[in-house]
Amino acid sequence: QICMGKHEGTTRLFINCHPNTTGAIAEIVLMMCVYMIVAKKGIVRWLYVGAAAVHYAILILSDSRTCILTTTLTLGMLIIIIFIQKQEGTRGKKLLQKAVLIALAGIACGAVIILLRKPIRLGYEEISHFSEYTGVNSASTLRDVEATTNGRSMWWKASVQSAFSSVRNFFFGVTPVGVISEIKKFTGYEFYTHNQFCEVLVSNGIPGVLMYLAWLILIARTCIRMLMGKASGVHKGTEVILGMIFMLVIANLMEATLMYYHWFPEEVFFLLCG
């Protein structure tokens, strides 16, 4: 099923899955297009500029706030990093001026991504005449982009309660299969944890989440070495790959799609880390 449909009082894009999953796939493919834009030249680059615009529109229509915010943050950071790399060797007053311009460029990128949300919705409305068929204007139901857990704190609290509810849960967890039923014990609702650290905590216990955290620290260390030019095999576009890893980790502070469920973000995440 590929359509714009109603979801919890809003109108969002479904592409054979939940709108949040649609957004997660769209942000990954969008960043893949950005990689090709940076790494390629000529007509290929411009083809991917067009593809990036398409997947940006899909991301906006999915109305996944987590994915929109993490994409905004990642692209803003990438612009800042690329500008900094181009200014290597600059000193004195010029360095300060360029630093201000770099910061403004990153902020402007983020602002553009956020501010284009409503125009894209209005454009969709003009093309599809969605409101004429459903009586609901898709632009008017756009969700606010705000700093909120959207009820997730209840599931995070249940995750911690589960981990400390018994010696077995503390050391071994309940396995990935048992997460949803375990969360239901403490909340009455069948949900997964909506946080990757909580997901590993409930699934594998305290030792498991500590191992996951240690592995992420090792990945982060390698990423920093690559950005600083201290690692071999670094090629054009590497910054985008590192940005995608960062984006997926940050997005999964509000979701849990990097392990156990075999969703698209999981395969991409481990491929990029490798």
Side-chain angles (χ1 to χ4, degrees), residues 260-271:
Y260 309 136
Y261 292 95
H262 305 292
W263 290 342
F264 184 61
E266 177 179 349
E267 280 76 17
V268 172
F269 178 67
F270 282 97
L271 177 64

Side-chain angles (χ1 to χ4, degrees), residues 248-269:
L248 287 167
V249 172
I250 295 300
N252 280 276
L253 294 176
M254 300 293 284
E255 297 291 346
T257 63
L258 296 184
M259 296 174 70
Y260 309 136
Y261 292 95
H262 305 292
W263 290 342
F264 184 61
E266 177 179 349
E267 280 76 17
V268 172
F269 178 67

